Amino acid sequence: MVKQKEDLLQQKSPAEFFADNRTIAGFDNPGKCLYTTIRELVENGLDAAESISQLPEIEITVTEISQQQLNRMRGVTNHDRIDEELYQDFETDGVKQKRLAKEAKEMERLEKQAAKRGDTAAALDGKKKELEVKRAQASRADKVFFQDNGMGMAHKDIPDMLGRVLSGTKYGVKQTRGKFGLGAKMALIWSKMSTGLPIEVTSARPGSATRSYFKLDLDIQRNQPNVHEQKLLDNSDGWHGAELSVIIAGNWQYYRAKVLKYLQQIAVITPYAQFEFAFQAEDEKNSIRVTFARRTTTMPQPPKACRCAAWQAPARLCLGLATKHHPSSVDLELIKRLAASTPCTSLTSFLSKEFDCISRDLAGKHCACLHATKRVARVLERSLAAALVASAEKIPLEMRCDPSTSPAELTSKQIVAMHDLLHQLRFHNPDGAHLSPAGEYNLRLGIMKELRPEMVATHQGAVGVHEGHAFIVEAAISVGGRNIKPGLNIHRFSNRIPLLFEGGSDVITRTAIKRINWSQYKINQTSDKVGVFVSLVSTKIPFKGAGKEYIADDVEEIQLAVRTAIQQCCVQLKNKITKQQAARDQRQRKKNLTKYIPNVAAALFTWQTARKTSKQARTKRRRRDEEAEEVVLGVRSGDVTEPTLVARLQQHVEQIDVDMALEYQLQQGVTEAAKLEAHLMPLSARHAYGPESHCDVGVIRRLQEL
């Protein structure tokens, strides 16, 4: 009997785990890998520029590389195939017949198209070659070059920032575009897996006299950077930022639309940034270049931060400037880590300095609750004493602690008691100062810049809270515009990042489609070109899945905030649409009146001149106002001719429009925001009228002091 060997216990490094499960990070196939690489580099560049309040300038160039070029870069000799059957030996007869039939059908389709258009044999051959090129796309690679003008990277940190998975500067409680510490590292892993070529990095900090250059790749098994070359270069021109060049297996043809859509949407949410994108194909006619120009120099206010004493065990790396944890969002492990690393020497200072919304006075009451007796309870404020003592009576004696106790000396049971009490008490919600939404101004400018809609409405909601994490929802609704399909065109953003995939399950999509009655706001969701833009910013976005592609629809607070923001935009649009319809009806009425003026004038002129002035006619005559009577008498006497009557009627129609426009302007001017101090007469002889300002309803002359 054969003895079965025991299974050996093995361990994987983080890099090896994500290399085996790269779909978690959005690296599903070559096309998606190219898209995700561009996305991660762009978002890192935006964060790097905004961190130093620099208007972002980002350049991306994707260069197509054939298999022969790739082999030369890798030092591999290109050989012609000797035995073609060797490369098809995996096919069964049935699979081979299906493939050949499909290729024959495609060729037949090309021939029919060529015959219909009258193409020559040379053009048909060109189509066939194009088809062969598309088949060979899977064996091609793409070189991605990226450049930004951000804060750059320190020379000593570059290997770890790019060559060590789960290492970065964005951990902690703060709003950032990235969180997982993957990003460019996954591009490096995919480059190593698909082409085997290293990444080249050049970076410089603001004010640095040198530039750092690295050529490196990543040791997947050990999760360590492998530096091939490093050097310091002269930086006489004072440049700062980062340049990265990576060669990966990609498929531009299939993900071209996604890449361009992503860049357009990132330009909408960041109109203060400028993006230059270029694709360089082997055939120059297939190359493209797109510029998303900057529209404004106003950047969102950076999130306010305070120094957090949290440390990342076991490496003991400080998390840096970050928002303090809200008591409602902490868990047991977090409290243990904070207690073990805090410099505070007492429990009272620990609670007040390490947690948000806990003052020193409230921290003392919290500690008193953990150490409560009836004598201590009498000293507390009556409004809080009953709740605190009621909670304290449920705490066993061994779990109570003194306010002067050092946090490092807390036992596991005492930490459990603290955790339970933090989740039982009510605290103020975070104020949202640590969040940085795009703002209604930037959102509106971005939409107008990229889509050119007929109407747009924006709204920024109040600060909400989910599990102790603050969030803000801002929304915009546009009607009309270029490159907009009829129906609802939903654009989703999280922490100012466009979300392009898995939108059907997202809270924004489901709310816009199922929870909004668009007809109530005079919007037809099937025929009108409606753009729905919703952005959610928070220190913790409730994503579903590590791919960060869509936001959970099971969070009631976020669901309500999204619905409210969209409805507020719809209310604004309803008022605009109502006024627009009234103006359109007025224009149609004017058009109809103007159209029939000649016929009415001719009929009236003929009728009045031919009418006999009999007594019966005079008794049945209707009462007319003086102006109408004057016109009739003028027609009878011959003083008013038919052209004169036409001109008078046209003048009357025009006067109606002027009166209505003046009334509308007066109504608009009486709003509080439009009130201005004005003087109709000079205050003294030292004043004179300045230049005239003309408008549709009059002329305005301003007084100026001599």
Side-chain angles (χ1 to χ4, degrees):
M1 183 170 126
V2 180
K3 186 177 180 180
Q4 187 177 3
K5 293 183 179 180
E6 294 183 2
D7 293 335
L8 296 177
L9 181 63
Q10 298 180 358
Q11 292 183 346
K12 278 187 176 182
S13 70
E16 193 173 4
F17 171 81
F18 284 105
D20 294 340
N21 303 276
R22 61 179 186 271
T23 56
I24 294 177
F27 283 73
D28 300 356
N29 52 66
K32 184 75 176 293
C33 291
L34 175 63
Y35 161 80
T36 307
T37 298
I38 294 173
R39 166 182 170 173
E40 295 290 352
L41 294 177
V42 167
E43 290 162 9
N44 288 344
L46 290 173
D47 278 338
E50 292 174 5
S51 64
I52 56 173
S53 300
Q54 180 79 29
L55 291 173
E57 294 180 2
I58 292 177
E59 178 184 348
I60 313 107
T61 303
V62 178
T63 305
E64 191 177 41
I65 299 176
S66 65
Q67 186 67 39
Q68 290 77 13
Q69 291 175 313
L70 180 61
N71 287 342
R72 285 196 296 269
M73 292 178 180
R74 297 187 293 189
V76 179
T77 305
N78 294 311
H79 296 283
D80 294 331
R81 294 180 177 180
I82 300 175
D83 186 2
E84 288 291 341
E85 294 183 359
L86 177 65
Y87 296 90
Q88 303 292 342
D89 62 353
F90 63 90
E91 288 183 323
T92 62
D93 292 338
V95 174
K96 183 176 181 180
Q97 291 299 327
K98 288 183 180 180
R99 178 176 61 82
L100 293 176
K102 186 177 180 180
E103 292 178 357
K105 188 176 181 180
E106 183 68 18
M107 287 297 179
E108 184 181 355
R109 185 184 64 82
L110 289 175
E111 290 175 358
K112 288 183 179 180
Q113 288 181 353
K116 186 180 293 185
R117 293 194 300 263
D119 290 350
T120 61
L124 180 59
D125 291 340
K127 294 286 185 180
K128 292 180 180 180
K129 289 181 180 179
E130 184 178 343
L131 179 61
E132 293 176 358
V133 167
K134 288 183 178 180
R135 290 177 189 155
Q137 287 295 332
S139 62
R140 294 179 181 272
D142 292 314
K143 178 181 178 181
V144 181
F145 172 81
F146 171 84
Q147 182 181 29
D148 66 48
N149 62 336
M151 65 181 300
M153 296 172 280
H155 181 83
K156 62 181 179 59
D157 294 335
I158 291 178
D160 283 334
M161 292 183 72
L162 295 174
R164 192 186 300 275
V165 175
L166 302 185
S167 65
T169 60
K170 298 181 180 180
Y171 297 125
V173 187
K174 54 182 176 181
Q175 177 194 331
T176 56
R177 289 185 171 89
K179 275 287 187 186
F180 292 166
L182 290 174
K185 289 98 161 176
M186 278 304 304
L188 197 55
I189 290 176
W190 177 242
S191 173
K192 177 106 181 215
M193 296 174 64
S194 59
T195 66
L197 295 175
I199 188 173
E200 296 185 35
V201 185
T202 304
S203 180
R205 308 278 279 186
S208 175
T210 59
R211 302 186 185 189
S212 302
Y213 172 82
F214 279 85
K215 181 185 287 187
L216 56 90
D217 61 19
L218 194 150
D219 188 331
I220 296 178
Q221 280 69 34
R222 295 188 297 171
N223 190 30
Q224 292 181 357
N226 183 16
V227 178
H228 297 276
E229 183 181 355
Q230 62 172 308
K231 54 186 175 182
L232 290 173
L233 306 175
D234 182 55
N235 190 30
S236 56
D237 58 353
W239 173 80
H240 61 86
E243 291 181 354
L244 293 91
S245 178
V246 59
I247 299 176
I248 61 174
N251 195 328
W252 164 257
Q253 298 296 333
Y254 287 125
Y255 270 78
R256 164 179 174 165
K258 287 292 185 182
V259 171
L260 295 179
K261 184 178 180 181
Y262 170 80
L263 291 174
Q264 183 191 49
Q265 292 198 21
I266 199 73
V268 166
I269 203 69
T270 56
Y272 51 88
Q274 178 160 319
F275 300 92
E276 297 277 350
F277 178 80
F279 173 72
Q280 297 179 355
E282 284 189 307
D283 189 352
E284 188 61 32
K285 68 178 182 180
N286 295 326
S287 300
I288 63 171
R289 179 173 290 275
V290 183
T291 300
F292 298 91
R294 178 183 294 117
R295 176 62 186 269
T296 178
T297 58
T298 302
M299 297 176 63
Q301 290 293 329
K304 296 180 181 179
C306 55
R307 186 164 296 278
C308 178
W311 293 70
Q312 183 183 358
R316 308 289 292 177
L317 297 175
C318 181
L319 299 180
L321 289 179
T323 304
K324 294 189 291 186
H325 296 272
H326 192 272
S328 301
S329 66
V330 297
D331 53 46
L332 281 172
E333 186 59 31
L334 178 60
I335 296 177
K336 290 180 181 179
R337 193 168 78 241
L338 293 176
S341 60
T342 181
C344 300
T345 58
S346 67
L347 200 56
T348 304
S349 60
F350 168 69
L351 290 171
S352 61
K353 293 182 179 180
E354 298 292 347
F355 295 94
D356 192 17
C357 300
I358 297 184
S359 62
R360 192 169 185 85
D361 181 54
L362 183 57
K365 297 173 183 178
H366 186 284
C367 296
C369 179
L370 291 173
H371 188 62
T373 63
K374 292 184 178 180
R375 183 179 60 83
V376 176
R378 284 195 296 269
V379 184
L380 300 177
E381 293 180 1
R382 294 184 178 275
S383 59
L384 193 61
L388 291 174
V389 174
S391 300
E393 290 176 351
K394 301 177 183 179
I395 301 176
L397 293 175
E398 65 271 14
M399 299 174 66
R400 301 177 185 177
C401 53
D402 189 88
S404 60
T405 303
S406 173
E409 299 175 358
L410 292 175
T411 65
S412 298
K413 294 181 179 180
Q414 290 171 335
I415 291 178
V416 169
M418 181 183 297
H419 172 267
D420 292 342
L421 191 57
L422 286 175
H423 283 265
Q424 290 174 11
L425 297 179
R426 298 288 298 274
F427 299 93
H428 291 293
N429 290 333
D431 58 4
H434 56 288
L435 300 179
S436 178
E440 293 187 51
Y441 174 77
N442 281 329
L443 188 57
R444 178 185 293 270
L445 278 183
I447 294 172
M448 295 174 63
K449 175 174 72 80
E450 297 299 329
L451 303 179
R452 308 285 179 84
E454 300 172 6
M455 291 183 290
V456 61
T458 58
H459 175 77
Q460 180 175 309
V463 179
V465 180
H466 167 58
E467 294 182 352
H469 295 275
F471 68 86
I472 294 177
V473 173
E474 48 190 350
I477 307 293
S478 66
V479 177
R482 61 185 185 185
N483 300 326
I484 296 292
K485 298 179 181 178
L488 297 181
N489 299 266
I490 300 174
H491 307 269
R492 303 170 293 126
F493 304 90
S494 68
N495 283 345
R496 291 187 271 150
I497 298 175
L499 305 177
L500 268 61
F501 295 91
E502 302 182 35
S505 302
D506 191 274
V507 61
I508 297 171
T509 304
R510 295 175 69 87
T511 299
I513 295 177
K514 297 183 177 182
R515 303 184 181 109
I516 302 296
N517 184 6
W518 294 95
S519 60
Q520 179 182 351
Y521 305 101
K522 300 183 180 298
I523 297 175
N524 190 324
Q525 68 181 94
T526 57
S527 60
D528 292 341
K529 297 180 178 180
V530 183
V532 181
F533 304 81
V534 179
S535 174
L536 172 67
V537 295
S538 177
T539 54
K540 184 180 180 181
I541 303 289
F543 288 113
K544 287 292 186 181
K548 300 187 298 183
E549 297 293 354
Y550 70 100
I551 303 171
D553 189 36
D554 53 3
V555 181
E556 294 184 3
E557 296 88 349
I558 295 179
Q559 186 184 115
L560 178 60
V562 170
R563 181 179 179 181
T564 302
I566 294 177
Q567 287 177 332
Q568 289 297 321
C569 294
C570 290
V571 169
Q572 299 177 39
L573 283 180
K574 182 180 179 180
N575 296 332
K576 295 181 180 180
I577 292 173
T578 302
K579 293 177 181 178
Q580 190 181 62
Q581 289 178 345
R584 185 165 57 246
D585 294 342
Q586 175 62 21
R587 287 194 300 269
Q588 185 64 35
R589 179 173 176 270
K590 177 183 176 182
K591 181 179 178 180
N592 293 336
L593 289 174
T594 306
K595 177 181 178 180
Y596 293 108
I597 280 177
N599 296 334
V600 172
L604 180 62
F605 190 85
T606 303
W607 176 63
Q608 287 294 340
T609 53
R611 186 179 180 188
K612 296 179 180 180
T613 56
S614 61
K615 181 178 180 181
Q616 183 180 4
R618 287 196 300 269
T619 57
K620 293 183 179 180
R621 182 183 303 163
R622 295 182 178 180
R623 182 179 298 176
R624 304 182 180 95
D625 55 20
E626 295 180 359
E627 185 177 357
E629 187 69 23
E630 181 182 355
V631 173
V632 173
L633 293 176
V635 171
R636 290 178 181 174
S637 62
D639 296 336
V640 177
T641 62
E642 185 174 343
T644 306
L645 184 59
V646 170
R648 291 285 297 274
L649 289 174
Q650 290 178 342
Q651 181 181 359
H652 179 71
V653 172
E654 294 292 337
Q655 186 62 37
I656 293 176
D657 275 356
V658 172
D659 292 343
M660 293 185 67
L662 182 59
E663 182 181 358
Y664 173 77
Q665 293 296 333
L666 290 175
Q667 290 176 353
Q668 294 294 107
V670 299
T671 60
E672 291 295 329
K675 285 187 176 180
L676 294 174
E677 184 178 358
H679 300 277
L680 299 180
M681 295 296 292
L683 297 178
S684 67
R686 295 178 300 172
H687 292 79
Y689 288 114
E692 295 181 349
S693 298
H694 295 262
C695 62
D696 294 338
V697 295
V699 179
I700 300 175
R701 292 195 298 174
R702 298 180 60 188
L703 291 173
Q704 295 180 343
E705 188 175 358
L706 298 177

